[in-house]
Amino acid sequence: MAKTFNQMVSEALAAVPAISPTEARQRIQQNPRTLVIDVRDVADISGTGIIPDAMNISLGTLTYKADNEVDENWREPALRDRSRPIITTCEVGPMGALGGKLLKDMGFANVTILEGGTQAWKDAGFPTKQV
């Protein structure tokens, strides 16, 4: 049976925990190994900016960049460790949720979604940077 975008987002949010911007910031400060992945296409980041030190890996490329079985040239080295803490985000949340679920499905054990995305991060008064 075909699924809609909203159904896939709902499934992702049910499968992967979401955290507030404040909790995300605390986790980043407490554990410098925490990787924030913004899954938007780079052209879509200019509106809100990106969380400082976040890595931009578009949702379309995350599938193979997180796969340890594809050619090494296609992989993202920061994603080798399946136990590394990862927070996924996008502008307002849905695409970040899909990215988080994708990583969980691929065996990543410590994935959370930034509730409300980078916009909620900014609304909480936290900085972003332009790319």
Side-chain angles (χ1 to χ4, degrees), residues 94-108:
M95 297 297 284
L98 295 178
K101 173 103 171 30
L102 173 72
L103 291 173
K104 182 177 180 187
D105 289 348
M106 293 181 81
F108 288 83

Side-chain angles (χ1 to χ4, degrees), residues 6-120:
N6 286 334
Q7 287 170 325
M8 290 187 291
V9 170
S10 292
E11 288 175 5
L13 291 170
V16 182
I19 58 173
S20 70
T22 300
E23 187 175 351
R25 188 165 191 234
Q26 289 170 345
R27 288 184 184 197
I28 294 164
Q29 290 173 338
Q30 291 170 355
N31 186 350
R33 288 193 67 243
T34 301
L35 177 62
V36 178
I37 300 176
D38 192 317
V39 300
R40 293 178 284 171
D41 293 334
V42 72
D44 297 329
I45 291 175
S46 63
T48 59
I50 192 169
I51 294 170
D53 299 320
M55 180 174 283
N56 174 231
I57 304 175
S58 69
L59 188 58
T61 63
L62 186 60
T63 306
Y64 62 85
K65 289 193 175 192
D67 187 343
N68 286 335
E69 294 185 17
V70 298
D71 186 280
E72 193 161 337
N73 293 327
W74 289 25
R75 300 179 209 164
E76 171 50 57
L79 296 174
R80 276 194 192 118
D81 180 1
R82 294 285 198 259
S83 66
R84 183 177 189 176
I86 296 174
I87 302 169
T88 57
T89 189
C90 63
E91 184 172 1
V92 294
M95 297 297 284
L98 295 178
K101 173 103 171 30
L102 173 72
L103 291 173
K104 182 177 180 187
D105 289 348
M106 293 181 81
F108 288 83
N110 193 358
V111 180
T112 53
I113 300 162
L114 179 58
E115 189 174 79
T118 304
Q119 187 59 55

